[in-house]
Amino acid sequence: MRTRPLKVALLGCGVVGSEVARIMTTHADDLAARIGAPVELAGVAVRRPGKVREGIDPALVTTDATALVKRGDIDVVVEVIGGIEPARTLITTAFEHGASVVSANKALLAQDGAALHAAAEANDKDLYYEAAVAGAIPLIRPLRESLAGDKVNRVLGIVNGTTNFILDKMDSTGAGYQEALDEATALGYAEADPTADVEGFDAAAKAAILAGIAFHTRVRLDDVYREGMTEVTAADFASAKEMGCTIKLLAICERAGDGQSVTARVHPAMIPLTHPLASVRGAYNAVFVESDASGQLMFYGPGAGGSPTASAVLGDLVAVCRNRLSGATGPGESAYAALPVSPMGDVVTRYHISLDVADKPGVLAQVATVFAEHGVSIDTVRQQGKDGEASLVVVTHRASDAALGGTVEALRKLDTVRGVASIMRVEGE
């Protein structure tokens, strides 16, 4: 074993960063044995230097992150500060000054992953980011390495624990959205401002990363269709149960049937109770991968939190340090396929549409005619009504989003349609 330690700079010492530092210290001997050399925490960049950080030598703490990554003796930079800047500049500066990088920064990778990979390659350094998607669940490396010889066709997953906790509570207890969100906040699953989670921004960033790796194509955050789950109601869950389904906020990345394009989207969807993802409860994550040779694979586990995310960071740190010792680098960006990303209008799926209509003869025929005129085939229809008002629930066969959009627009113009109560996609079949 080499006795000279590999030096690690830690950018950020919050929930994840402090856990990374703790594991590096308490598991130092095991890490050294696995790597073939000891690893040493050489510096910790923070915003508030006066805060007490248990187990971290105050002499290592600095507010000058730029100076830390420029030192020249740093072997690996671990970036867990999040956001776009200064993280982007610090990572590229680290490459330029001889360090490889381990990051958990999903937002930055989804927006500027191509540029970061290019900077790593230009400086012959590693960029690893297992912790950016689904916490402790090994997912990036299996897609990037284990399935490198296979053709991945679809990635379907629950990649945000906060939203899964909220939807699970609504499903299991009958709670409304706000009540479930309040409980998630009280338990620490939801941030004080939960927008990034409940509006799908967090999941969309992860979907961009997953789609890019799975399909060997550059997919940016702007390419991902995003729809939050704040409008999901108890009535939607009641309808889902009548269909033998539940509701999940899903990240869906698909290769088109002809293989010439891909799509990436995040939105709430009904999913059959028989599908493995339907049983994912609480704040857990799970990702379902479908490929030609391997068939169907499912990855499941805790998707957030200090210890699970730190576990993924340390796994990358071990891999990068091993590469450093051998003078090699791991796999970089694979974007050779360069497939176009199709717009949401081209996506084909099933739909569940709930309409408020007048309770009188001929309404169903009018509605069915509109669906037929827009080329959307109806699978089932259910109607309930009294006192002159009715609820009409239509479940379609597979149709494009554009065709369904035209259908709904036409339905709104019917005098007998009082309103569109809800529209939800049906996935996983």
Side-chain angles (χ1 to χ4, degrees):
M1 177 184 292
R2 194 181 84 164
T3 57
R4 184 172 66 80
L6 293 159
K7 295 189 176 183
V8 178
L10 180 61
L11 308 183
C13 198
V15 174
V16 176
S18 59
E19 190 66 8
V20 169
R22 184 192 69 79
I23 295 173
M24 285 185 63
T25 301
T26 58
H27 295 181
D29 291 343
D30 282 344
L31 290 173
R34 295 167 194 168
I35 292 168
V39 288
E40 172 188 308
L41 190 59
V44 182
V46 300
R47 287 185 297 177
R48 296 184 294 275
K51 181 179 178 180
V52 176
R53 294 174 172 85
E54 187 176 349
I56 296 178
D57 183 352
L60 296 178
V61 176
T62 178
T63 58
D64 194 344
T66 301
L68 179 60
V69 299
K70 282 184 173 181
R71 273 178 37 174
D73 65 335
I74 300 296
D75 294 288
V76 184
V77 169
V78 174
E79 183 271 310
V80 288
I81 57 178
I84 305 303
E85 288 291 358
R88 174 171 48 198
T89 299
L90 290 171
I91 288 174
T92 55
T93 301
F95 290 141
E96 292 165 358
H97 287 78
S100 289
V101 173
V102 172
S103 176
N105 196 330
K106 54 187 171 287
L108 178 58
L109 288 159
Q111 178 172 306
D112 289 319
L116 295 179
H117 275 292
E121 183 178 359
N123 291 280
D124 197 26
K125 296 295 178 287
D126 275 323
L127 173 62
Y128 276 49
Y129 43 90
E130 184 68 63
V133 180
I137 304 172
L139 184 58
I140 300 297
R141 191 170 289 113
L143 282 173
R144 192 160 67 168
E145 299 178 28
S146 303
L147 296 175
D150 205 345
K151 179 184 178 183
V152 176
N153 296 309
R154 195 175 198 225
V155 180
L156 174 75
I158 299 164
V159 295
N160 183 278
T162 300
T163 55
N164 200 57
F165 178 89
I166 293 170
L167 292 172
D168 184 38
K169 280 295 175 183
M170 293 176 70
D171 185 26
S172 60
T173 69
Y177 165 74
Q178 190 59 52
E179 183 183 352
L181 172 60
D182 291 343
E183 183 174 352
T185 303
L187 292 173
Y189 291 127
E191 301 287 346
D193 179 1
T195 302
D197 294 324
V198 300
E199 293 295 349
F201 291 101
D202 175 85
K206 295 169 181 175
I209 295 170
L210 290 175
I213 296 171
F215 307 132
H216 306 282
T217 291
R218 287 177 179 167
V219 179
R220 301 181 72 252
L221 181 58
D222 292 345
D223 296 321
V224 182
Y225 172 83
R226 178 195 55 78
E227 186 180 317
M229 41 77 72
T230 58
E231 301 300 319
V232 176
T233 66
D236 292 325
F237 274 102
S239 293
K241 287 181 179 179
E242 290 180 0
M243 291 179 58
C245 293
T246 188
I247 298 172
K248 299 291 187 182
L249 184 75
L250 298 177
I252 305 169
C253 312
E254 293 180 304
R255 188 190 300 269
D258 61 5
Q260 299 305 304
S261 64
V262 299
T263 59
R265 50 196 165 104
V266 168
H267 53 72
M270 294 182 180
I271 188 167
L273 294 175
T274 53
H275 193 283
L277 291 178
S279 62
V280 178
R281 311 301 296 270
Y284 275 70
N285 284 190
V287 178
F288 203 71
V289 178
E290 301 175 10
S291 64
D292 277 0
S294 300
Q296 297 178 331
L297 305 170
M298 182 167 161
F299 301 83
Y300 169 84
S307 293
T309 306
S311 170
V313 170
L314 266 295
D316 278 351
L317 179 63
V318 169
V320 170
C321 285
R322 287 171 174 170
N323 291 344
R324 191 84 172 184
L325 288 179
S326 65
T329 55
E333 183 188 34
S334 175
Y336 73 88
L339 297 172
V341 181
S342 296
M344 186 62 187
D346 293 347
V347 170
V348 175
T349 189
R350 297 179 68 203
Y351 290 87
H352 176 283
I353 305 103
S354 180
L355 305 172
D356 295 326
V357 300
D359 187 16
K360 62 182 184 181
V363 173
L364 180 55
Q366 285 185 324
V367 169
T369 297
V370 170
F371 276 86
E373 289 174 346
H374 289 81
V376 179
S377 176
I378 294 176
D379 182 16
T380 62
V381 178
R382 186 176 69 256
Q383 183 172 0
Q384 295 176 325
K386 65 178 181 177
D387 301 328
E389 297 296 328
S391 172
L392 190 66
V393 174
V394 178
V395 179
T396 74
H397 288 291
R398 291 175 64 83
S400 72
D401 192 78
L404 195 282
T407 303
V408 171
E409 184 177 349
L411 288 170
R412 294 184 193 275
K413 296 177 181 179
L414 293 179
D415 292 339
T416 52
V417 175
R418 311 300 192 210
V420 180
S422 70
I423 303 171
M424 191 163 295
R425 297 167 182 88
V426 182
E427 301 286 348
E429 295 184 318

